[in-house]
Amino acid sequence: MQDHIRHDILIVGGGLAGLRAAVAVHDGGRDVAVMSKVYPIRSHSGAAQGGVNASLGNHPDGDDDTWERHAFDTIKGSDYLADQPRAETLAREAPDRVVEMEHWGAYFSRFEDGRIAQRPFGGAGFPRTCFAADRTGHHLLHTLWQQCQKRGIVFYSEWQLTDIAVEEGRVAGVVALHIPTGELRAFEAGAVVLAGGGHGRIFSKTTNAYINTGSATAAAYRAGARLEDMEFVQFHPTTLFGTNILISEGVRGEGGLLYNSDGERFMESYAPSVMELAPRDIVARAIRTEVNEGRGFEGEYVHLDIRHLGPDVIKSRLPGIRQIAMDFAGVDPIDTSIPVQPGQHYSMGGVSSDEDGRTDIEGLLAVGECSCVSVHGANRLGGNSLLETLVFGKRAGDFALTLNGSGGGGETRALDDAVTRRRRSIEKLSAREGGERQAVVRSEMQDIMTDHVGVYREEAALERAVTELLELRDRYRRVTLDGSASHLNYDLIDTLELEGMLDLALITALGAVERTECRGSHWRTDHLGRDDGNWMKHTMATLGEDGLPVIDYEDVIITSYEPMERKY
Amino acid sequence: MKSRTFTFAIERFDPESGGKPRVQEYEIELAEGTTVLEALHQIQADLDGSLAFRYACRGAVCGSCAMLISGDVGLACRTQVHGLDTSVITIGPLPNLPVLRDLVVDMDIFFAKDAAVQPWLQPDEPAPERERLVPPEEWGEAEPYTNCILCASCHGVCPVPSRDPDYLGPAALGKHYRFLADPRDTADGKRLKLVDGEHGVGGCDTVWRCVRVCPKGVPPTKGILATRERLSPERD
C-alpha cells in the first residue's frame, strides 16, 4: 500500500467555508491542505448573487441597525427552529467577517460616501445586505482564493472524497479518488473540516450546480455522524423558467415586482406589508399557489418585472441577472419581464455541528451548507449563507488549531481498512455487467424529490416517495458502468456519489413524513399550522445497523427569543 | 417546445492509451433551449458514459466548461444548440492546453500563470477598523477585470501561447491590471516589473480576440495597453 498523504488539518471542500477555514488554520501556524473535487474557484459559492448580511448600518434607512436585530430577524426567519445562541454568533461576528473580506480585496459595491453598499433583502425591514453588484459570491470566492494563493496553501484539486475513517470515535483521515488519474489514496489528518456544500442535486428542479451532490454530508453520515433537519429544503421563489438558474433575491431588493398571468401583483394577498420582500418560503408558496390556481403562465411560471428600474440601475446593480436572462431565457429584462418559478435552492439540513464546527465525531468538523449549526432553522434568510461560510469557516479553522492530533503517527488501521474496502467495492462495481446505468436511477430520484417532496407536501405523496426511493436503492446495487477508463472516469464518480445522494434523499423524505406540522420551508397541506407543542425540535438521522436511517429528535436551544407567530 | 435531431462530432482522445485523437459522432434529439453542456450530459447519460468533460455551475459563472464549439471557443453551458444554425456540431477541447482526455485539458499551466502575477491585494497601510473608504469615481476602472472567472477562453483564442509557452497570457495580464487599477493596491512598482517584457505585456499581439471571446465582458487587451502606458515612462 502506498504511503498516506499527511496533513495536520485537512479541509474537504474549496468553496467559501473551506477556504476561510484554511486561511484561519494557516494564519494560526498549523499545517493545512484543502481537498476539492473541482478547482476551488469552480465551487458553487461563486454562483451566489445577492449579497452577505452584516449590520454595518451604512444605509441611512438602516443606520441604527444592530447585530441583535440581525439575530432576531434570522431567528424569526427560521420559524424559531434555529438554535438561538448560534444565530446570535452569526450576527455578532458578521461585521468583522465582511469588513475583513473588504480588507482582503473584495470588490464590494459602494455608496457615494465610499462605504460598502447595502440593499434590502427578504426578512429584514431595511438595507442590511452588503453586495458586489449581483456577483457577490464570485467576488468573495475569488478574493479568498487569492488570499490562499498569497499564503501558498496546499490544494488537492479534483480529488473526490469517498470515505471518512474513524478510529475509536476519533477521525483518522479520509479516502479520496484523484479524478484525473483514478488513483485512490488515504489522507491522514489530525482534524478534518468538512466544507463540501449542499446536496440540491437530489432534486430535478434546482438552482444548484451539477456538483452539489452532498458527497461530504453523505460520507459523514456513513462514518456515523448525525444529520440534522434534512427535511428543511429551501425552494427559492425566483429561478429562471427552463433552466432553474438563480434569479437573485437582490432583484426584488432593488425593486423587482412579481405579477401573475392576470397582471396582478399577487404578493398583496400573501404578505401585504412587505410584499415581494417576504422571506423565501412565503414567496415560493405564493407563486406555487398562483400557478396551482390557474394564474400562472403556461409552463408554471410568473413574471418578475424590473423594467421600471430603468437601464442604468439594471446595468449597474443587476448586470449578471441581465446576462443570465438574455443567455438562458432569451429575454432582456430592460424590455421584458423575467419568467420565474420556485426551485430547490439551499439545504438547511446537514451534518449536525455547533458554532465551532464540532460534530459527533471527535476531530471531524463541518461548516457551510453541508453542516447544520443550526442558524437557518426551517428557513434561511437570503444573505445569511455567504455569511455563514465566513463566520463558521473561520471559527472551525480556529477551533481546529486547538486540537492535538497531527497528520501522522497515529493508529491508521481504520484508514487502511477504509481504503481497502473502497478499492474492492470499486473493483466489484467495475466488473459488474448488464445492469442499468446510474444516470437512469439518478434522474428518477430527482423527479421523485421534485414531485413529492417539494414546496407543498402531504402524507400519501411523501410515503410514496419513501417507497420509491427504497426501490431505487435496490436498483442502485445493480447499476453498471459504461466504459472502463482508468482516469477521468466521470461515470464512476457519478455512481459513487449517487449512493450518498440516495441516502440524503431518503432521509429528507423520511423527516418530511414524520414532521406533521408546517414550519418555514416544510409545508404540510394535511397538517396546517406550526405545532410548537410537539415539534419545537430538530430531526436527527443516524445510520442504523440495517443500513437504513434511524430518526430521532433533539430540543431546539431557545434563550432570548420566545417563539411568536411569524407574520410579515 | 420544438426539438430537432443533431449530430455531435466530438473529438475523443486518451493520451494514456497511446492512440491518436479521433472524432466520434453521436446523433441526439434536443429540445429548443438546450445548451451544449446539457447536450453533452445527455450524450454521457444515454449514449456514452465514457465521454469526459468538465462542468460545475451550468450558469456561466464557474468557468469549467470552455471548449471549441463549431470551431469557436465558448462556454458549453452558455451556448444554445439551436442557435448554432447547423445540425452538425463539432466539439473539441480548448486549444493551447494539453489534453488529459477528450474535452478535459490540463489547467495547471493556466493557473500557474495566474499565480505568477501575485493576484492578491497588496496595500501598504495596515487595514483600518472598518472598510477602506473608496469614492465611487475611483471605483470602476478595475471593475470589469474583477469579473474574470478564469475559464481560459481567452487563453484558448490567443495567438501567442502557441509560439511562446512562457507568455503570461490575457487572463493573468487582465488580472494583473485589476490590481494595478484598484485604488486600494499600492504595489504598482513591484507589480509592473512582474509583467514587463516579451513574456508579459510586451508579448501581446493586440488582436483583441480575448476581448471578443470573454463570456464576462473582461477586456484584457485594454488592460494590457494601459499597463504598457504605465511602463513606458519608466523606460524613458
Side-chain angles (χ1 to χ4, degrees), chain A residues 336-347:
Chain A
T336 313
S337 294
I338 309 169
V340 293
Q341 64 182 189
Q344 193 284 347
H345 179 57
Y346 185 85
S347 317

Side-chain angles (χ1 to χ4, degrees), chain A residues 270-287:
Chain A
Y270 302 88
S273 65
V274 292
M275 302 291 281
E276 280 82 0
L277 284 176
R280 290 174 176 174
D281 55 334
I282 293 170
V283 182
R285 279 194 293 274
I287 295 174

Side-chain angles (χ1 to χ4, degrees), chain A residues 452-564:
Chain A
H452 303 314
V453 198
V455 174
Y456 285 119
R457 300 168 170 181
E458 54 96 16
E459 184 169 352
L462 291 169
E463 293 280 12
R464 200 173 136 199
V466 170
T467 308
E468 290 179 1
L469 288 168
L470 287 169
E471 286 165 14
L472 286 184
R473 282 161 60 101
D474 285 336
R475 281 166 55 187
Y476 172 80
R477 293 189 192 103
R478 298 188 295 274
V479 298
T480 55
L481 299 180
D482 189 23
S484 56
S486 60
H487 67 129
L488 287 164
N489 187 340
Y490 289 99
D491 201 28
L492 170 63
I493 301 295
D494 288 348
T495 305
L496 296 177
E497 289 200 317
L498 180 56
E499 181 188 12
M501 295 171 85
L502 285 164
D503 279 338
L504 303 182
L506 181 62
I507 294 165
T508 304
L510 281 173
V513 176
E514 294 295 325
R515 190 176 282 271
T516 49
E517 66 158 350
C518 295
R519 186 182 296 273
S521 67
H522 174 71
W523 193 273
R524 287 284 299 262
T525 54
D526 51 351
H527 290 277
L528 292 175
R530 199 174 77 191
D531 179 1
D532 287 347
N534 290 306
W535 287 107
M536 202 58 157
K537 51 195 184 185
H538 298 294
T539 305
M540 295 287 181
T542 320
L543 177 62
E545 285 184 12
D546 58 357
L548 291 171
V550 178
I551 303 285
D552 202 352
Y553 295 95
E554 202 168 277
D555 286 342
V556 177
I557 307 173
I558 296 171
T559 48
S560 321
Y561 310 86
E562 265 311 302
M564 298 183 296

Side-chain angles (χ1 to χ4, degrees), chain B residues 13-162:
Chain B
F13 180 42
D14 184 357
E16 284 197 6
S17 73
K20 285 188 175 150
R22 65 194 164 87
V23 172
Q24 190 163 352
E25 294 193 351
Y26 302 92
E27 280 213 353
I28 187 163
E29 192 169 313
L30 298 167
E32 206 170 336
T34 306
T35 65
V36 170
L37 184 66
E38 287 168 331
L40 292 175
H41 270 288
Q42 208 170 312
I43 290 167
Q44 196 185 51
D46 298 343
L47 303 174
D48 189 343
S50 74
L51 181 65
F53 55 97
R54 284 199 186 98
Y55 54 85
C57 78
R58 66 82 169 80
V61 292
C62 79
S64 297
C65 65
M67 58 183 70
L68 261 183
I69 302 163
S70 287
D72 292 323
V73 168
L75 296 180
C77 72
R78 194 170 166 258
T79 308
Q80 298 282 333
V81 173
H82 288 251
L84 290 169
D85 286 331
T86 168
S87 57
V88 181
I89 294 164
T90 61
I91 302 284
L94 185 69
N96 289 330
L97 291 166
V99 175
L100 298 177
R101 202 159 87 77
D102 298 343
L103 307 174
V104 178
V105 294
D106 185 349
M107 293 293 290
D108 287 345
I109 299 163
F110 173 76
F111 284 120
K113 292 179 189 297
D114 175 63
V117 300
Q118 301 188 3
W120 50 83
L121 193 75
Q122 300 185 35
D124 57 4
E125 282 180 15
E129 198 169 314
R130 286 286 300 256
E131 67 263 48
R132 292 188 189 83
L133 299 180
V134 187
E137 61 273 16
E138 287 177 39
W139 206 232
E141 176 66 15
E143 196 273 336
Y145 303 90
T146 65
N147 293 318
C148 170
I149 56 174
L150 293 171
C151 67
S153 290
C154 54
H155 186 85
V157 297
C158 179
V160 185
S162 60

Side-chain angles (χ1 to χ4, degrees), chain A residues 10 12 53 79 96 129 149 162 202 446 463 503 505:
Chain A
L10 179 69
V12 180
N53 295 336
D79 224 346
D96 284 351
T129 306
Q149 287 178 299
T162 63
I202 63 173
Q446 292 168 329
E463 293 280 12
D503 279 338

